[in-house]
Amino acid sequence: MKKTNAHRPLRAMLLVLLLLSAGCDNSGSQPAVPATPAADHEQQSLSGTILMLTNRIDLIENGTMQGYADQFMKKYPEASVEFEGLSNYATDIMVRLSTKDAGDVLLLPVNLPAKELDYFFEPLSAEMSAGERFTTFAAYDGRRYGLSTGTTTSGIVYNKKAFKQAGITEIPQTLDEFYAICAKLKQADITPIYMNYGAVWPLREWGNNMVNYMTGNPDYLNDMVHENAPWQLDNEWGRLLGITRTIIARGYAEDELFSNNWEISKTKLAKGEAGMFLSGNWTIRQILDAGAAPEDIGFFPFPYDNGLKHYAPLNPDWFIGVSKFSRNKELSMAWVDFLVHETSYTAEGFLPLDGNAEPSMEQYREFLSYQPELVEATVQTDTFIDMANRSKLSFASGDYIQELIAAPDLQKAFDGLNEKWEEARALTDTK
């Protein structure tokens, strides 16, 4: 998945009221009958042009998306699909939805409360959504509004040649061992780990993404709504931010911290000029596309403490659905169904959607060999999303993690977050 940077960090959270007002035209209407893809005998009648908004700019630029569209046109000769890539998808899509200018097909925002899905998206038919793994996501009141485009986990993507050059012969199983290999990589004049601090969005892995699974409790974030002060130095937030600050303080991260070097960083890892990323398995495909040989790239769970057992997440990737404001909903439904079920789109660097299927990625088989305990994600509750919006904390973009990493006094920075959170909790029903 081509991830995005965040040049307008808090804007998405401030637009929630706009989103709600944008959906009011539909709030009093009768429930729509879920659209279904056209049957074979109706193929010739589907025509027109639809627009898909996506974060996968890489797949637009390399022609992959157009290739899928060409396959679709063989099935529906009078139809065509156009694409628009958003480089800051998590924030920009909220703006586009608020103005009802979100194309026909799009990825569902992660910070939109489930109760508002019907304002902006068409419900899918039971046939389209049959077999979905993450059943609590993209759904509300018994209706499904999006299909999962992939299954991911997170860990350390690494270059085996860089490890060999630095004299690293064992994969670290503890945090102290992880720091030790960082020191060896630095001594070998290799950037130990690219945090992509300047790109901002990758920092989500160093914040709420990891906090939500490192205890083995996939509802860790959801449970924060019952606390006035969830950010503490002696809990998961403090321990994780301590790791990030240690990495930077010891010079283990990239030198140009404030530059957005996401594309450059992939090339550096592919060449072995950088040793590691903390990221999702979707990154592996992009590292290979940047020039790495498959046998040179590995993947292991991040050892976030010195314990013998570590958790790793099992998450859905973005969900894809049809805009409520599309003027060609039937064609849009057919495209979503085709893209997810009849192309390789959901296999572009992801794990099998079917949990019983054997993963084809050698790197993921290596990952599993270290026996992490996989924690299947649960959907963020509307209460959590409401509180995040009220407190203006951009969990979807990662900029607040950047601020915490750079804070002169982490406790004081935590106090500021807790104050906002307590104020939001006082205005929110957390029962």
Side-chain angles (χ1 to χ4, degrees):
M1 180 174 70
K2 175 71 175 267
K3 297 291 184 180
T4 59
N5 58 20
H7 55 273
R8 287 176 288 183
L10 295 177
R11 190 171 182 183
M13 298 306 177
L14 297 176
L15 281 166
V16 170
L17 292 179
L18 283 176
L19 281 168
L20 297 181
S21 63
C24 288
D25 291 343
N26 295 305
S27 60
S29 61
Q30 293 297 316
V33 177
T36 56
D40 290 343
H41 66 276
E42 297 173 329
Q43 289 181 7
Q44 297 298 328
S45 66
L46 287 182
S47 62
T49 299
I50 57 174
L51 174 66
M52 176 179 169
L53 303 186
T54 178
N55 62 339
R56 294 302 304 265
I57 298 174
D58 58 321
L59 298 185
I60 296 176
E61 292 178 345
N62 67 19
T64 299
M65 294 304 294
Q66 186 56 52
Y68 296 146
D70 292 341
Q71 295 175 39
F72 186 66
M73 288 176 64
K74 292 179 181 178
K75 191 171 185 177
Y76 303 101
E78 300 302 318
S80 63
V81 184
E82 295 179 350
F83 305 95
E84 181 181 348
L86 302 181
S87 61
N88 185 23
Y89 194 91
T91 300
D92 291 349
I93 197 59
M94 300 292 281
V95 180
R96 298 288 289 268
L97 279 174
S98 71
T99 60
K100 302 183 182 181
D101 179 27
D104 299 281
V105 173
L106 65 154
L107 307 178
L108 278 61
V110 296
N111 52 337
L112 184 68
K115 62 188 176 185
E116 309 301 342
L117 285 169
D118 189 53
Y119 291 155
F120 304 103
F121 294 93
E122 282 293 301
L124 307 179
S125 68
E127 291 79 9
M128 280 186 69
S129 57
E132 281 285 285
R133 179 174 193 164
F134 299 94
T135 56
T136 62
F137 289 76
Y140 184 72
D141 198 22
R143 291 188 172 185
R144 190 102 185 153
Y145 294 88
L147 299 181
S148 175
T149 60
T151 302
T152 70
T153 190
S154 295
I156 297 292
V157 182
Y158 71 103
N159 187 297
K160 295 180 181 179
K161 283 189 173 181
F163 273 37
K164 183 177 181 180
Q165 183 179 336
I168 299 168
T169 59
E170 298 288 339
I171 296 300
Q173 303 297 305
T174 67
L175 183 59
D176 285 344
E177 291 174 358
F178 178 79
Y179 287 146
I181 69 165
C182 284
K184 288 185 176 182
L185 288 163
K186 183 180 180 181
Q187 189 174 8
D189 201 27
I190 297 168
T191 300
I193 185 162
Y194 239 97
M195 296 182 70
N196 272 294
Y197 181 92
V200 184
W201 63 261
L203 297 180
R204 289 175 302 185
E205 292 289 353
W206 296 98
N208 42 289
N209 284 8
M210 192 183 301
V211 161
N212 203 38
Y213 71 78
M214 60 190 291
T215 63
N217 174 20
D219 280 313
Y220 185 94
L221 293 183
N222 290 333
D223 291 343
M224 283 172 52
V225 304
H226 304 298
E227 301 179 58
N228 283 332
W231 283 274
Q232 300 293 334
L233 292 179
D234 62 354
N235 69 5
E236 283 66 38
W237 283 107
R239 285 190 281 274
L240 184 55
L241 267 297
I243 294 172
T244 63
R245 291 161 69 92
T246 296
I247 287 172
I248 290 178
R250 294 183 182 180
Y252 296 157
E254 65 269 22
D255 291 330
E256 299 177 357
L257 280 177
F258 294 97
S259 298
N260 184 350
N261 290 327
W262 168 244
E263 296 298 333
I264 293 173
S265 71
K266 291 188 291 185
T267 301
K268 286 183 175 291
L269 186 60
K271 292 181 176 179
E273 296 173 8
M276 298 179 285
F277 277 174
L278 171 63
S279 192
N281 51 270
W282 55 266
T283 312
I284 296 169
R285 179 70 264 168
Q286 295 191 28
I287 302 302
L288 300 183
D289 289 343
E295 62 270 19
D296 291 338
I297 301 300
F299 190 40
F300 63 87
F302 181 61
Y304 45 77
D305 60 26
N306 286 323
L308 298 179
K309 181 177 76 171
H310 292 103
Y311 296 102
L314 198 60
N315 296 323
D317 201 63
W318 293 90
F319 288 82
I320 188 171
V322 174
S323 170
K324 197 83 168 183
F325 313 118
S326 170
R327 295 183 178 180
N328 199 335
K329 293 174 183 175
E330 191 174 11
L331 179 61
S332 299
M333 285 287 177
W335 167 247
V336 169
D337 190 54
F338 178 85
L339 185 66
V340 171
H341 296 127
E342 298 185 44
T343 75
S344 61
Y345 178 72
T346 58
E348 291 287 344
F350 300 115
L351 309 179
L353 288 174
D354 182 350
N356 295 318
E358 181 71 18
S360 60
M361 295 172 58
E362 174 60 36
Q363 291 85 1
Y364 188 55
R365 289 197 289 271
E366 176 192 356
F367 183 91
L368 292 178
S369 73
Y370 300 108
Q371 300 182 328
E373 187 168 330
L374 296 175
V375 179
E376 186 164 320
T378 57
V379 70
Q380 289 182 349
T381 64
D382 281 1
T383 303
F384 174 82
I385 293 174
D386 286 344
M387 283 187 59
N389 289 336
R390 288 180 188 275
S391 58
K392 299 179 176 62
L393 291 176
S394 50
F395 286 92
S397 65
D399 62 285
Y400 78 103
I401 297 296
Q402 189 183 59
E403 295 168 4
L404 290 173
I405 292 174
D409 186 328
L410 184 57
Q411 180 62 67
K412 186 176 293 186
F414 277 175
D415 291 343
L417 293 182
N418 288 329
E419 183 178 350
K420 292 180 180 180
W421 195 253
E422 185 174 1
E423 290 174 357
R425 186 165 183 251
L427 299 172
T428 307
D429 182 5
T430 58
K431 294 180 181 179

